[in-house]
Amino acid sequence: MQEELRFATFNTFNLAPPGARLYDNLAPTTAAEYEAKLDWTATQLDLINADVIGFQEIFSQSVLKEVLRRTRRYRDAHHIGFDPDPSAPRLTPSVALVSRLPLAEPGSQLAMFPDNVTMPHGSRDPDRFTRAPLHAGVIAASGVVIDVVVVHLKSRRPDYRSGDSGADPHLYALACLRSLIRRGTEATALRVLLTDMAHANGRPRIVLGDFNDVADSVTTEIVLGEGTPVGERMYDASQVQRRLDHQRHVGFSILHDTRHSTIDHILVSPDFNPALPQAIGEVVDVVYLNDHLNLALPEASDHGQVLARIRLFGRVGGYAADA
């Protein structure tokens, strides 16, 4: 018997309590804006109707819980998320996972880089992710356990040093380079973590997240594992979907200065690539929910949501959850 699962990634765009100051150049959200954002986010979640959703830009896990209470489909779902240090001078964003599927084990943060990955000497926080990825195993109805990792890699925002200014093009270039180095290091750390996970658990893997770069960028290809053994690789779900039509493929997840691109991705392990002999399922299709970007709704996210429908071929021995 075949089984269909739905996985989505959702950058909520500054989901935070009203009145919280998040950035120096961003006014705090008013009570009315807060209510509108929560209602829009809840409605969008019900529209997505995914079994497992990875979230980014969660400044308060309690606010996300309030969003779930306003939905029809996720009031009883499992919610995994970790708030930042409450003693920090200001809120910082984190990721979260919401699952209607049962969990194989408690979710965990993957805050630290593997031992053999580090930023260049002199970098801030050289041994950890800017935003810690989150890992949890979810159990499909067939008993297959899938390792799900939610990520939000370093943005392209220039990483200025104290006293630097974007008015100097040389300093601007160096600040952009520092951001790229961090995103590349985070991609490398994630690649190592995924490889270790494949060896330790031997389970299918799915990565949901905002990679802050397109699918064929160097940093994203590092995560995909170009050049690694097939069993350790990941695949862009949009490229291995069964219904891919290159002539009509118009998916995008961000709109910036009239340019459309996709930096939010769903990656799958070889278990969901039907071109490979070890496949236990296939990506049926990938859907981009992005109409709100063209409408420029003030309460909406500045990212489109990405949804992948995956069909399992049937129960496969060796992947079943331990009873």
Side-chain angles (χ1 to χ4, degrees), residues 2-316:
Q2 293 184 337
E3 176 185 1
E4 181 178 298
L5 303 173
R6 297 162 67 99
F7 293 83
T9 184
F10 192 149
N11 184 315
T12 60
F13 183 47
N14 297 340
L15 192 67
R21 178 164 289 280
L22 308 181
Y23 302 105
D24 292 335
N25 61 347
L26 182 66
T29 304
T30 66
E33 291 169 338
Y34 171 79
E35 290 296 324
K37 184 171 184 63
L38 264 59
D39 286 342
W40 180 88
T41 305
T43 300
Q44 196 75 353
L45 283 176
D46 283 331
L47 177 64
I48 293 170
N49 191 24
D51 298 297
V52 180
I53 304 177
F55 293 88
Q56 299 85 36
E57 294 202 23
I58 304 298
F59 282 81
S60 168
Q61 298 294 334
S62 64
V63 174
L64 178 56
K65 290 179 181 178
E66 176 58 28
V67 169
L68 300 178
R69 283 192 287 269
R70 299 188 185 198
T71 66
R72 293 180 292 106
R73 304 181 188 274
Y74 297 95
R75 295 173 184 172
D76 299 319
H78 300 283
H79 166 222
I80 304 172
F82 302 89
D83 277 320
D85 182 359
S87 63
R90 66 173 51 186
L91 294 176
T92 53
S94 61
V95 303
L97 182 143
V98 170
S99 175
R100 298 188 303 206
L101 302 179
L103 302 178
E105 63 269 325
S108 60
Q109 279 187 311
L110 306 174
M112 307 302 293
F113 291 161
D115 290 340
N116 54 344
V117 179
T118 187
M119 288 284 293
H121 179 72
S123 301
R124 293 190 297 267
D125 299 322
D127 58 352
R128 68 192 65 205
F129 289 91
T130 306
R131 295 167 284 251
L134 187 153
H135 165 247
V138 300
I139 309 173
S142 57
V144 172
V145 179
I146 302 170
D147 283 315
V148 180
V149 179
V150 184
V151 303
H152 188 183
L153 300 187
K154 175 68 177 71
S155 72
R156 296 188 181 189
R157 185 179 295 113
D159 182 8
Y160 291 110
R161 291 179 175 173
S162 179
D164 286 356
S165 169
D168 185 326
H170 178 65
L171 295 179
Y172 172 79
L174 289 175
C176 290
L177 176 60
R178 282 191 287 270
S179 289
L180 175 60
I181 291 172
R182 175 163 287 280
R183 187 165 64 257
T185 305
E186 291 185 352
T188 302
L190 180 58
R191 161 45 38 200
V192 174
L193 290 172
L194 289 168
T195 298
D196 292 346
M197 194 177 294
H199 292 169
N201 299 343
R203 306 192 302 210
R205 287 152 287 137
I206 293 180
V207 180
L208 310 170
D210 177 354
F211 288 69
N212 269 306
D213 224 331
V214 296
D216 60 354
S217 68
V218 172
T219 56
T220 305
E221 288 188 346
I222 287 173
V223 181
L224 289 169
E226 297 286 346
T228 61
V230 172
E232 299 175 2
R233 281 203 58 186
M234 302 295 290
Y235 296 85
D236 178 5
S238 70
Q239 294 300 313
V240 299
Q241 61 178 307
R242 183 165 60 86
R243 296 180 182 173
L244 177 62
D245 183 342
H246 289 286
Q247 298 302 314
R248 301 180 60 189
H249 187 60
V250 293
F252 63 93
S253 71
I254 60 168
L255 173 59
H256 181 68
D257 290 339
T258 72
R259 292 182 300 170
H260 300 73
S261 61
T262 300
I263 63 174
D264 303 87
H265 307 294
I266 297 177
L267 310 184
V268 299
S269 61
D271 310 87
F272 304 119
N273 184 347
L276 301 176
Q278 64 264 54
I280 63 169
E282 63 180 352
V283 180
V284 177
D285 59 16
V286 176
V287 179
Y288 297 85
L289 294 88
N290 50 29
D291 286 347
H292 58 278
L293 299 180
N294 289 317
L295 295 172
L297 301 175
E299 67 272 22
S301 172
D302 62 344
H303 285 240
Q305 292 75 57
V306 185
L307 169 69
R309 296 194 302 136
I310 295 177
R311 180 182 297 127
L312 299 183
F313 298 143
R315 184 179 177 88
V316 179

